[in-house]
Amino acid sequence: MPRLNSHPSGRHFLQIPGPTNVPDRILRAIDHPTIDHRGPEFQALAKKVLAELRPIFQTRGPVVIYPASGTGAWEAALVNTLSPGDTVLMCETGHFALLWKKMAEKLGLNPIFLGGFDDGSWRRGADSGAIEARLAQDTPRTIKAVCVVHNETSTGATSDIAAVRRALDRTHHPALLLVDTISSLGSIDYRHDEWGVDVTVAGSQKGLMLPPGLSFNAVSDKARTAAKNSKLPKSFWSWDEMLEANSKGFFPYTPSTNLLYGLAEAIDMLQEEGLAHVFARHARHAEATRRAVTAWGLEILCEVATERSNALTAVMMPKDNTGKAYDADRLRGIIHANFNMSLGQGLSKLSGWVFRIGHLGDFNDLTLAGTLAGVEMGLSLAGVPHRAGGVQAAISYLRDTIPTHTNELGKRKAA
Ligand code: PLP
């Protein structure tokens, strides 16, 4: 007797904006016996990943690796640099900025929160002009850190970190700059040193193409100096013991050995492709996705064209004639049931009327074509008003913009 529905054939399309699809190369790298994390073989692995991670963050300084999800690295950034009652300037770009601000409150910090859902700031990146104005008012220099989410995964809006740096410089403000790159690192150009960032927060499960479970702090000299005077309690997250052990190729507690095998492989893959090509690939896929959404006649949540994310696109559901938005979760459910594809749900205030298409990580033209085909068929099955032709708009763009290096790579493989 055939067993129906016991196993969907073909691969699941994991098109949420992280965790992303893990390439076979990385899965194979992880699939090895765990080694002694105090032995020489581990030491060589740790030294390699600790050194080779730096160019991914575009920094010459140290990068701390935690066996934790991104939330842990958020906490590490705050507790290592700040003291109870410190004022921090944060920007409400969306759900993740809001969570980081709530964490700051729970830790006993005093966040000033710029922007808000009702003034439309969930539809754009952080306002560097508003940051500059607030810093200029702060003559007693009570603000100790400015915290910005580079790529707001809930909305698909990016913030201009170089502009935030200029806001700090123009006001000669000494506050630290802390940036969340959890859904941008390894997908969207990000420059820790050049942009004068003090702590960069990142995670393993998005542009780095790994499973969840590792997170990172890239740390500037200024942040390390701040850490010496910081009084928030910390133990597991403490940089000093970590950096001391890392300098010898070890960790102060048991590291995620197998994920570090995967990380070494992910770094190799990013280096082989070249970061510039990785960023260009994401930009091209994002543009193709936006063309599909526009052709469907649907609206992209991020309303500032230059701030639209190259890692994901958040799409607003159209409204029916009573003014109610068609149900985004029903659409996602239909797509999941019929085409074995997961799309990102709308988070908190975006719940039910926004869905998100992840186009980051291990991703190529045909993965995108399949993803968009699933969305277009789903829109039709769910009875959501739209125009046909989104997939066609995207594939025409992809066909017309094949990068020369992809051609060359293909020819070399065929030879
Ligand atoms: N910040 C951003 C921008 C994120 O996208 C996420 C998760 O998706 C987080 C923080 C929280 O990270 P985690 O869920 O890995 O703890």
Side-chain angles (χ1 to χ4, degrees):
M1 273 288 279
R3 281 164 56 225
L4 290 178
N5 297 331
S6 58
H7 170 72
S9 55
R11 283 213 166 191
H12 179 67
F13 269 59
L14 184 64
Q15 298 323 137
I16 58 174
T20 60
N21 295 289
V22 181
D24 292 351
R25 258 179 82 171
I26 292 182
L27 289 173
R28 282 198 295 268
I30 292 170
D31 181 16
H32 280 96
T34 303
I35 52 174
D36 173 10
H37 60 283
R38 304 195 197 280
E41 204 185 330
F42 179 85
Q43 186 181 34
L45 169 71
K47 283 193 167 169
K48 173 182 157 75
V49 292
L50 288 165
E52 293 182 1
L53 257 183
R54 295 181 184 203
I56 310 289
F57 287 80
Q58 305 197 44
T59 183
R60 299 168 81 84
V63 180
V64 169
I65 308 175
Y66 293 108
S69 85
T71 303
W74 262 349
E75 180 160 338
L78 299 175
V79 297
N80 276 290
T81 52
L82 298 165
S83 298
D86 276 355
T87 298
V88 288
L89 185 59
M90 303 180 112
C91 303
E92 186 172 348
T93 46
H95 172 76
F96 289 104
L98 185 59
L99 287 185
W100 203 9
K101 178 243 183 188
K102 285 184 181 165
M103 172 187 277
E105 283 168 343
K106 286 183 209 158
L107 292 171
L109 296 167
N110 171 35
I112 300 169
F113 212 25
L114 292 179
F117 179 81
D118 294 330
D119 76 7
S121 73
W122 283 40
R123 298 196 65 182
R124 52 176 194 256
D127 180 347
S128 56
I131 294 175
E132 183 166 340
R134 193 63 191 77
L135 290 172
Q137 280 171 20
D138 182 34
T139 37
R141 302 306 195 219
T142 48
I143 297 171
K144 300 298 176 216
V146 176
C147 303
V148 182
V149 177
H150 181 218
N151 185 64
E152 181 47 82
T153 325
S154 61
T155 65
T158 50
S159 292
D160 183 345
I161 304 302
V164 177
R165 176 75 259 164
R166 285 195 294 277
L168 282 153
D169 292 346
R170 277 203 288 255
T171 50
H172 304 287
H173 201 293
L176 297 164
L177 177 55
L178 314 186
V179 180
D180 170 340
T181 65
I182 288 180
S183 60
S184 54
L185 190 87
S187 304
I188 302 174
D189 193 9
Y190 178 78
R191 307 171 185 201
H192 177 93
D193 285 359
E194 188 183 317
W195 295 343
V197 179
D198 294 298
V199 189
T200 296
V201 174
S204 55
Q205 73 272 28
K206 312 224 183 209
L208 292 179
M209 307 171 285
L210 293 161
L214 292 179
S215 57
F216 310 91
N217 276 177
V219 182
S220 74
D221 287 344
K222 186 171 159 187
R224 289 182 74 176
T225 306
K228 293 200 177 84
N229 303 314
S230 138
K231 303 238 163 14
L232 277 174
K234 55 197 145 296
S235 168
F236 181 82
W237 305 117
S238 183
W239 288 338
D240 48 6
E241 284 157 41
M242 181 67 98
L243 291 170
E244 164 67 22
N246 283 175
S247 68
K248 301 185 186 78
F250 294 108
F251 282 69
Y253 38 73
T254 313
S256 301
T257 314
N258 290 54
L259 285 178
L260 295 179
Y261 298 152
L263 178 59
E265 194 69 22
I267 295 170
D268 283 351
M269 288 177 74
L270 292 171
Q271 281 174 346
E272 284 164 25
E273 186 174 354
L275 272 191
H277 286 153
V278 172
F279 300 147
R281 173 166 57 81
H282 282 80
R284 188 167 155 271
H285 289 150
E287 177 57 25
T289 306
R290 294 190 282 259
R291 285 179 184 226
V293 176
T294 307
W296 288 325
L298 302 181
E299 202 177 335
I300 295 171
L301 180 68
C302 176
E303 52 189 5
V304 183
T306 51
E307 294 179 349
R308 288 183 176 153
S309 171
N310 288 341
L312 75 136
T313 301
V315 183
M316 292 162 64
M317 295 298 279
K319 292 188 173 140
D320 64 17
N321 47 21
T322 69
K324 191 169 174 289
Y326 281 81
D327 186 343
D329 294 336
R330 181 169 169 271
L331 170 69
R332 290 188 315 105
I334 286 172
I335 291 171
H336 187 266
N338 289 283
F339 308 116
N340 192 19
M341 175 163 76
S342 299
L343 295 168
Q345 67 185 103
L347 293 170
S348 56
K349 291 176 177 168
L350 308 174
S351 173
W353 58 280
V354 164
F355 70 93
R356 294 170 299 148
I357 306 171
H359 34 75
L360 73 164
D362 185 38
F363 206 71
N364 65 24
D365 290 8
L366 295 189
T367 337
L368 181 64
T371 300
L372 297 173
V375 176
E376 188 161 328
M377 289 189 286
L379 288 167
S380 176
L381 287 176
V384 177
H386 69 287
R387 291 190 299 264
V391 174
Q392 186 57 58
I395 63 178
S396 299
Y397 174 76
L398 292 175
R399 179 202 57 208
D400 294 343
T401 58
I402 297 172
T404 21
H405 72 272
T406 308
N407 268 328
E408 280 155 16
L409 200 69
K411 277 189 218 141
R412 255 187 278 146
K413 277 193 178 154

